[in-house]
Each structure stands twice: as C-alpha cells, then as structure tokens.
C-alpha cells in the first residue's frame, strides 16, 4: 500500500512544510482563532494527512493544500459546476462540501480520472473525446464538464439520447457556450465506453 | 468564510440533545443550502452538527402501504427508487426537475424540506430583509420582484419557497417525523411550512431542538400523476410556476384530484380551491380552466410578477391534462 502523504497546515499556494507556523491563525471574518484538526483524505487513490479548520471547503483543500489545480473555482456556490469531482464515483460540487466530512470516501479529481477508470496510461475516453471534438474554448469549465460527463456515462439510470444527456449535464455551465461540441464529445465517449448501450 | 465548530454525532438522541444545549447551531447533511448561505454570511452558525452518520438512510415500505423515507436519503436516490418511480412519479419528476446531477447527489431529503428561499434580497446581507433580520423591512415588495410569490404573501415578506420535491410531496400527501428533546412527533407535510405573516423569520414548525428524521408518504393514490415546471431555462433553474397533479378518474369524471403549486407561493402550496372545483366534474379543458381560476382567485401581484398568475394557471391546466391522460392510459 502506498504511504500516507503528510501535509503541513497551510493555506495559499504553499509547498508542504512551508507554512507550518500558521496552524492557528485568526479568522478574517469572525476574529476568532480557529482550531485546526487532523484529517485523512483519500484523493486519487492516495491517502493524505492534512491539518484543516472545521470550515475548510473540499475545493479549497484540493487546490491550496494538495496543489491539485485541475479542479476549478467558478461561482463557489453550487451554481456553475466548475468544481465537480467524484465522491465514491458520484459527481458532486466540491465547493459545497466540508473537507472534514469527507474522511473515508474515495475522492477523484480530474488529475486522477483516467487512472481511477483503469486507463493507467494516457487519457480517459472522455478526455480523448473532448480533444477530438474541440469541446472547449477557454477551458475553465472543462475539468468539471469531464468529471460530470464521466460519472453520467457510468450511470445506468441515465439514457444516452440527447435530451437525457443535456439534462444530466446541465449543472455545468460553459460561459463560452461550447455546449454543442461538449455534447458531441460526451456522446462519442459514451458510445466508445458502453458499446452503444 | 466565518469559522464555526464542527461536531459529528452518531445517534439521534445525541444530535437532539446537542441542539438543545447550544443556540446558534445548525445541522448539516448535504450542505448545499447551509454552506452556500454561510459563505454569503446569511446564516451564521457558531456550531455545525454533522448528522450524516445517523441511521436515517433507508427507504422502507410500511405494512399499511405507506413509504417511510429516512431524512438522509439523497435526492438522487429518492428520485430513482423503484417504488417512488412506480407509485409516486409526481415526486420523482419533481426531484429530477430540481438542481443538477451533482447537487442532487449531495442534497438530502430532510435538507430539501429545510432549504431556504432564493430571494436575492434574503441572500444579500447588505439589503433589508424581514426574513433574515426581522423588522428591517422587505426589499422585494418595492424592488425587483419578478421571481416572487403571488400566493400566501404578507406585507412583511413575498419570498417564494424554492423546493420542487416539497410540492410533489404535498400533492402525494405526506407526514414529517420529528425527533426532539421531548420525544417524537408527526406533522402533516402541508402544515409544516408556515406562511410569512408578521413573522417571516419563522419558516416551519420545527421546535428548538428538533430534527427531521423521516418523511412518510401516504399510501399510493394511483391515478395519473405529473409534475410540470416552467422556468426561464429548460434545466438547472428554479420554477417561475410549477404544478404537481395527482388525478383519479371516476369514469369520464374526476373522482379526486390533488394539486400543489411551486414558484408562485410563499410555501409549498396546496391548491384546495382548485381541487374542490374539480371534484365530480368532467375531465375536460373547461373544468381544468375553472380549477385554475379558482386556484388564483386570491392571488396578489406585485410590480413585476403579475405574469405568474397567468403562467400558474396555464401550469395547472397543462399538468391536469397530462395527469388525466396518464390516468386514462
């Protein structure tokens, strides 16, 4: 089994160990000193020991403590889907999850998507299809789009017709409006992964 | 984002006891409402109690034919449960019309009942709002109120209740099970949410220290069921007007119809007057239109939301038409 990676406390773009001295820093909002706690998160198959405040949001911990910048912060309120990750295989909005409540679950981000689905070399079929169909413009929503799409493709209760897929993907907003190519990419990947089912 | 204490509880009595001891506490399950509103500083809990380890994740068919749903069952799981899809399609359709795939995976049944209004003035701590800060005034009444309610309003508050699921449950008939420091009690689902009146900060009949543990759906009413949701875009948007219809036919006439409305009212709205107008009437367009008129006879429009009265009536007619067609099928 892979060793647990230990991370020092820290916020911001720190390297492990760089900010251990701010374990208890005053909260900007309430002025109270926040108690931190030690948690273990399983992200992309790797266990991480982390020190976080009770109000730490999973999205922020992924980006700022684990340096997993693929997951994006868009609206930060569950209205855009840019922060979508998988928890136990289901797509969820990581901007509305407390990190402390995610111990014992399997978290997968875009960095671990291919490997989590058994594609240890190269890309996940959804990633290949996005490349093939040019399914983005600025790219900011892309990771979230692909995380939702890959979970939706694996969901036996969601049909592969255009109406069903549009509905299932509607929680991921693309401000550039690349929806047509996104839908083409998802249908193409779905066909390859499910063999036309 | 403000700091708070976080504690996890393993047993219901532990959760309820905690709530009684501390003020300024909030329960968290899916977190999709609470964390959104804490980030906006609209909700300011000092302590958050994680109830996700409580044994409230089952859906159980009771001997009397009712369906008992644990408060922690996710919106996705409830919408796609075999019995719900077969016997309560109005609830399944309502759930699947709400939010997005990801949010439904997170959101719980109890949390959906407890979700807060989407009124933009409520969500903005810089604006007066009687619901958020009693006595400060209502910014919506003379403000931008296109999305606000036309039924059940007061001079203190015209915010709509945002839930789709609750509208489906009012039409299907349901009971809430609450556990508190003084034991367990049950409340009829349609009596749980309160009209704003002079106390818009009081949104429901949950007493200090109480936790929703289950929703029990009435035994299936059968018939034809439909949830119709009308909104500014086809998906991932709150209702401007919605209608949940459960129609039982008696030959060519309507035996019993149950109707509930969303997007137009300050609480999940049982349209009793419309139901009464339908009873024993022929299942025709004319009857549906008369029922729609009855449903909105007491409606009050504000400067930007008068269109909701027209839209709401059309939602009723269309929902009844589709539910009746299904009852005949």
């Amino acid at each position: 089994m892979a060793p647990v990676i230990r991370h020092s406390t820290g916020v911001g773009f720190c390297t492990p160990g760089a900010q251990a001295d701010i374990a208890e820093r005053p909260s900007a909002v309430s002025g109270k000193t926040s108690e931190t706690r030690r948690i273990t998160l399983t992200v992309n198959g790797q266990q991480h020991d982390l020190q976080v405040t009770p109000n730490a949001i999973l999205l922020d911990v992924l980006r700022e403590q684990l340096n997993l910048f693929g997951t994006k912060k868009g609206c930060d309120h569950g209205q855009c889907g840019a922060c979508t990750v998988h928890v136990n295989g289901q797509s969820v909005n990581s901007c509305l999850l407390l990190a402390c409540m995610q111990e014992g679950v399997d978290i997968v981000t875009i960095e671990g998507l291919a490997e989590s689905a058994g594609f240890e070399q190269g890309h996940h079929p959804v990633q290949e299809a996005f490349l093939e169909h040019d399914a983005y413009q600025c790219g900011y929503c892309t990771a979230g789009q692909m995380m939702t799409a890959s979970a939706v493709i694996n969901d036996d209760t969601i049909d592969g017709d255009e109406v069903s897929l549009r509905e299932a993907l509607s929680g991921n907003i693309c401000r550039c409006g690349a929806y047509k190519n996104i839908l083409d990419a998802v249908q193409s990947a779905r066909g390859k992964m499910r063999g036309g089912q | 984002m403000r700091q708070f204490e976080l504690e996890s509880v393993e047993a219901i009595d532990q959760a309820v006891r905690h709530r009684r001891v501390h003020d300024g506490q909030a329960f968290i399950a899916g977190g999709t409402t609470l964390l959104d509103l804490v980030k906006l500083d609209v909700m300011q809990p000092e302590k958050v109690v994680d109830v996700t380890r409580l044994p409230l994740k089952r859906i159980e068919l009771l001997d009397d034919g009712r369906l008992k749903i644990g408060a922690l069952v996710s919106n996705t799981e409830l919408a796609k449960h075999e019995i719900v899809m077969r016997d309560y399609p109005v609830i399944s359709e309502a759930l699947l019309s709400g939010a997005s795939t990801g949010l439904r995976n997170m959101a719980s049944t109890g949390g959906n009942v407890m979700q807060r209004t989407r009124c933009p003035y409520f969500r903005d701590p810089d604006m007066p709002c009687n619901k958020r800060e009693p006595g400060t005034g209502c910014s919506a009444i003379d403000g931008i109120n296109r999305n606000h309610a036309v039924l059940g309003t007061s001079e203190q508050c015209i915010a709509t209740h945002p839930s789709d699921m609750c509208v489906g449950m009012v039409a299907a008939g349901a009971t809430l099970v609450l556990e508190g420091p003084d034991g367990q009690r049950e409340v009829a689902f349609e009596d749980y949410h309160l009209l704003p009146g002079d106390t818009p900060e009081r949104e429901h009949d949950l007493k200090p220290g109480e936790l929703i543990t289950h929703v029990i759906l009435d035994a299936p009413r059968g018939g034809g069921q439909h949830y119709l949701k009308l909104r500014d875009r086809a998906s991932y948007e709150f209702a401007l007007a919605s209608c949940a219809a459960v129609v039982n036919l008696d030959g060519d006439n309507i035996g019993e119809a149950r109707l509930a409305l969303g997007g137009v009212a300050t609480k999940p709205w049982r349209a009793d007057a419309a139901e009464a107008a339908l009873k024993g009437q022929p299942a025709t367009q004319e009857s549906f239109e008369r029922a729609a008129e009855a449903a909105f006879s007491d409606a009050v429009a504000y400067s930007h939301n008068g269109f909701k009265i027209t839209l709401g009536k059309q939602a009723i007619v269309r929902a009844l038409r589709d539910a009746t067609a299904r009852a005949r099928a």
Side-chain angles (χ1 to χ4, degrees):
Chain A
M1 183 165 170
V4 177
I5 299 179
R6 297 193 188 284
H7 297 261
S8 69
T9 307
V11 291
F13 305 113
C14 61
T15 51
Q19 296 195 7
D21 58 328
I22 56 164
E24 291 194 4
R25 63 183 198 124
S27 154
V29 175
S30 69
K32 277 195 291 189
T33 299
S34 55
E35 300 283 326
T36 61
R37 60 171 72 185
R38 185 162 287 280
I39 61 168
T40 303
L41 296 185
T42 306
V43 182
N44 300 332
Q46 175 70 56
Q47 287 197 311
H48 298 268
D49 258 4
L50 297 155
Q51 191 91 27
V52 299
T53 56
N55 71 344
I57 296 291
L58 179 62
L59 169 62
D60 299 327
V61 171
L62 291 173
R63 289 180 56 86
E64 296 176 4
Q65 292 200 44
L66 299 181
N67 292 347
L68 293 170
F69 300 121
T71 307
K72 297 295 188 281
K73 181 180 283 200
C75 70
D76 209 21
H77 287 274
Q79 298 177 11
C80 79
C83 67
T84 304
V85 300
H86 293 175
V87 168
N88 291 340
Q90 286 198 312
S91 61
V92 293
N93 300 58
S94 65
C95 73
L96 294 179
L97 289 174
L98 289 181
C100 292
M101 289 170 65
Q102 309 311 315
E103 291 193 282
V105 299
D106 280 321
I107 299 161
V108 173
T109 69
I110 189 67
E111 289 89 345
L113 176 64
E115 194 176 346
S116 78
F119 302 94
E120 304 209 353
Q121 303 294 322
H123 294 137
H124 187 280
V126 167
Q127 293 172 305
E128 296 285 359
F130 267 63
L131 279 167
E132 197 177 313
H133 291 268
D134 191 23
Y136 35 67
Q137 288 182 40
C138 82
Y140 199 79
C141 72
T142 306
Q145 299 279 3
M146 294 195 291
M147 295 310 285
T148 297
S150 53
V152 162
I153 289 170
N154 280 331
D155 188 335
D156 292 333
T157 70
I158 297 172
D159 291 335
D161 62 281
E162 182 176 329
V163 171
S164 301
L165 286 178
R166 277 179 176 273
E167 174 60 41
L169 301 170
S170 72
N172 291 78
I173 305 295
C174 171
R175 188 62 184 79
C176 304
Y179 295 111
K180 184 178 179 302
N181 291 4
I182 291 171
L183 189 67
D184 288 347
V186 175
Q187 283 184 311
S188 162
R190 191 178 191 281
K192 283 179 184 155
M193 290 174 70
R194 297 183 70 106
Q197 282 174 37
Chain B
M1 184 181 178
R2 70 175 45 241
Q3 296 289 351
F4 47 73
E5 283 180 70
L6 177 66
E7 186 162 348
S8 183
V9 288
E10 308 280 342
I12 293 168
D13 59 353
Q14 199 189 355
V16 167
R17 187 189 67 217
H18 271 261
R19 178 77 178 247
R20 183 164 61 170
V21 172
H22 301 279
D23 283 337
Q25 275 197 186
F27 293 124
I28 187 167
T32 55
T33 290
L34 181 70
L35 296 175
D36 173 29
L37 292 177
V38 173
K39 287 182 181 190
L40 293 172
D41 220 25
V42 169
M43 292 179 79
Q44 305 177 334
E46 287 169 18
K47 182 162 185 170
V48 171
V49 178
D50 170 9
V51 295
T52 56
R53 295 179 194 197
L54 299 182
L56 302 172
K57 294 175 184 166
R58 291 184 56 209
I59 297 178
E60 184 187 358
L61 187 58
L62 302 180
D63 289 341
D64 59 8
R66 298 189 300 160
L67 193 66
K68 187 174 184 180
I69 302 157
L72 292 173
V73 172
S74 78
N75 285 188
T76 299
E77 196 187 342
L78 184 59
K80 298 191 174 179
H81 191 271
E82 192 185 353
I83 296 175
V84 178
M85 289 176 69
R86 186 189 66 209
D87 294 338
Y88 305 94
V90 72
I91 292 174
S92 183
E93 289 171 17
L95 279 161
L96 292 175
S97 77
S100 66
T101 309
L103 291 170
R104 290 192 298 268
N105 288 340
M106 301 162 73
S108 67
T109 303
N112 194 315
V113 175
M114 294 298 290
Q115 71 178 299
R116 312 294 300 275
T117 183
R118 305 298 295 194
C119 172
Y121 302 108
F122 171 77
R123 290 171 61 81
D124 181 352
D126 290 335
M127 298 300 292
C129 170
N130 285 325
K131 187 183 279 298
R132 181 169 27 76
E133 265 183 274
T136 56
C138 173
S139 300
I141 287 177
D142 294 316
I144 305 295
N145 49 43
R146 178 176 179 271
N147 289 334
H148 289 73
V150 294
L151 293 168
T153 57
S154 74
E155 289 179 7
Q156 309 301 322
C157 181
I158 61 171
T160 55
H161 192 274
S163 173
D164 296 296
M165 180 195 82
C166 291
V167 178
M169 285 181 174
V170 167
T175 304
L176 281 165
V177 183
L178 314 174
E179 186 89 29
D182 302 322
Q184 194 180 80
R185 68 184 178 106
E186 297 190 353
V187 180
F189 196 96
E190 64 185 82
D191 295 336
Y192 178 76
H193 295 97
L194 305 177
L195 292 172
D198 290 331
T199 53
E201 74 279 11
R202 290 190 57 224
E203 298 178 338
H204 47 68
D205 182 28
L206 200 66
K207 306 232 181 322
E210 285 186 324
L211 175 74
I212 298 173
T213 59
H214 300 87
V215 177
I216 304 179
L217 303 181
D218 290 1
R221 293 191 146 76
Q225 306 188 7
H226 185 48
Y227 185 75
L228 176 69
K229 181 173 178 180
L230 305 174
R231 43 189 160 169
D232 281 329
R233 60 183 179 198
S235 182
Y236 200 26
E237 183 57 277
F238 292 91
L240 291 170
S242 72
C243 179
V246 178
V247 175
N248 286 91
L249 293 175
D250 179 7
D252 285 334
N253 292 344
I254 293 168
E256 191 196 16
R258 286 176 65 101
L259 289 176
L261 305 176
V264 292
T266 51
K267 58 175 272 188
W269 192 262
R270 177 99 183 260
D272 333 62
E275 293 177 9
L278 286 165
K279 201 168 178 64
Q281 298 299 306
T284 59
Q285 178 84 8
E286 292 70 33
S287 301
F288 301 160
E289 286 174 3
R290 269 200 303 277
E293 290 298 326
F296 284 89
S297 61
D298 294 332
V300 178
Y302 296 83
S303 40
H304 305 112
N305 68 354
F307 76 98
K308 282 194 174 185
I309 296 176
T310 312
L311 197 67
K313 289 177 188 172
Q314 290 168 348
I316 289 176
V317 171
R318 273 182 57 192
L320 281 169
R321 204 162 57 204
D322 288 354
T324 302
R326 290 183 188 185
R328 287 192 172 121

